[in-house]
Each structure stands twice: as C-alpha cells, then as structure tokens.
C-alpha cells in the first residue's frame, strides 16, 4: 500500500497526527476535539502493489454512552482549628474533561489552585472561620469522554 497521508481520512471532532508504518500496517494518534467522534479512510486514498485504489473503510465512531460520571468529594473534615488547611479530593467515576476551579463552590473558605486530571483532582482549602465549610460541585461541571454531563456532589 502506498500514498497514505493524514489528509486521506475523513474525521469528525478528531485531530490526527503521528502517522507511521509501512505496507499494510499503520498507526496514528487520534485526539478528540469534541464529543461524538468518527474516523474513516476515504475511497481512492491509497494504491495497492497492482495500482488498485482502496474502497472507503468502515467508520470508527465513539458516541455518548448514556452513563453520567458520578463525583465523590472527600477530605472535608468535620472540625478544624485556626490555621488548618486541608486537601479536598474530587474523584469522578471515569475520566472527565472541562472540570476547573470555577466549577467548585466553597462556602466559608478559600480554595487554592485545582490540580489533577483524568478522574482525580485536588485542591487545598483554607477555612475563613466564619462558619461551617462546605465544598460542592454542580451537575454538568464536567463531561466524560463520550460527552455525558457529570452529576452534582457535595
């Protein structure tokens, strides 16, 4: 097979890169840019040894799975003393995208930088001693890799 390039593929919500290989075995990196992705090799993109062009390939697709990621918030102590800080962990049931510090609501405290990725994130919380501390996240703060919105927690 000869002539295969990244531009030979029809994609939806996917960026392709790092095409490598030879003969009839190739690999490439596919990075989703949005939800509901698909990839297909166009017809007449490559030639076999006899000079025959290929037929269009089957479509490889990823669609929403119907299951919203759940979220567990842990690390908020029942009591604390002046000067305490504590690490709060946000654990989703599966990898998510779009979760950031603006999605977290903190009452009677301040939140440091949010770190992490995939399914686990963390932030340091510093109470301001004006009352009970609560940490929550609204529904829809993040999405799983197939586009389902996350559940609320807190």
């Amino acid at each position: 097979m000869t002539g295969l390039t990244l531009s030979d593929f029809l994609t939806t919500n996917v960026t392709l890169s790092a095409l490598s290989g030879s003969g009839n075995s190739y690999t490439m990196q596919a990075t989703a840019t949005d939800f509901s992705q698909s990839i297909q090799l166009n017809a007449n993109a490559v030639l076999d040894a006899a000079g025959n062009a290929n037929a269009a390939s089957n479509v490889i697709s990823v669609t929403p799975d119907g299951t919203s990621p759940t979220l567990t918030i842990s690390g908020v102590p029942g009591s604390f003393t002046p000067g305490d800080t504590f690490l709060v962990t946000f654990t989703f049931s599966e990898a998510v995208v779009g979760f950031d510090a603006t999605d977290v609501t903190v009452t009677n405290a301040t939140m440091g930088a949010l770190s992490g990725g995939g399914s686990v994130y963390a932030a340091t919380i510093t109470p301001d001693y004006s009352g009970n501390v609560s940490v929550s996240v609204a529904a829809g703060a993040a999405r799983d890799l197939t586009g389902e919105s996350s559940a609320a927690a807190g």
Side-chain angles (χ1 to χ4, degrees):
M1 182 170 72
T2 60
L4 184 63
T5 67
L6 291 174
S7 63
D8 294 326
F9 293 88
L10 176 64
T11 63
T12 303
N13 299 325
V14 176
T15 299
L16 302 177
S17 62
L19 177 66
S20 64
S22 63
N24 64 357
S25 181
Y26 286 81
T27 61
M28 66 183 154
Q29 178 69 41
T31 304
T33 58
D34 206 341
F35 303 102
S36 297
Q37 310 91 24
S38 66
I39 303 171
Q40 180 181 30
L41 178 62
N42 290 316
N44 303 314
V46 296
L47 300 174
D48 66 14
N52 300 309
N54 68 290
S57 73
N58 60 312
V59 176
I60 300 169
S61 62
V62 176
T63 56
D65 61 9
T67 303
S68 295
T70 59
L71 173 60
T72 301
I73 301 172
S74 59
V76 179
S79 62
F80 46 86
T81 58
D84 284 352
T85 62
F86 48 90
L87 185 68
V88 173
T89 303
F90 305 88
T91 305
F92 290 90
S93 59
E94 59 185 304
V96 297
V97 295
F99 184 62
D100 61 41
T102 63
D103 297 316
V104 180
T105 301
V106 178
T107 304
N108 298 321
T110 57
M111 184 176 89
L114 184 68
S115 63
S119 62
V120 180
Y121 296 79
T124 299
I125 304 295
T126 304
D128 64 16
Y129 307 104
S130 60
N132 292 333
V133 172
S134 67
V135 179
S136 62
V137 174
R143 293 184 178 272
D144 69 12
L145 301 181
T146 67
E148 300 293 339
S149 294
S150 61

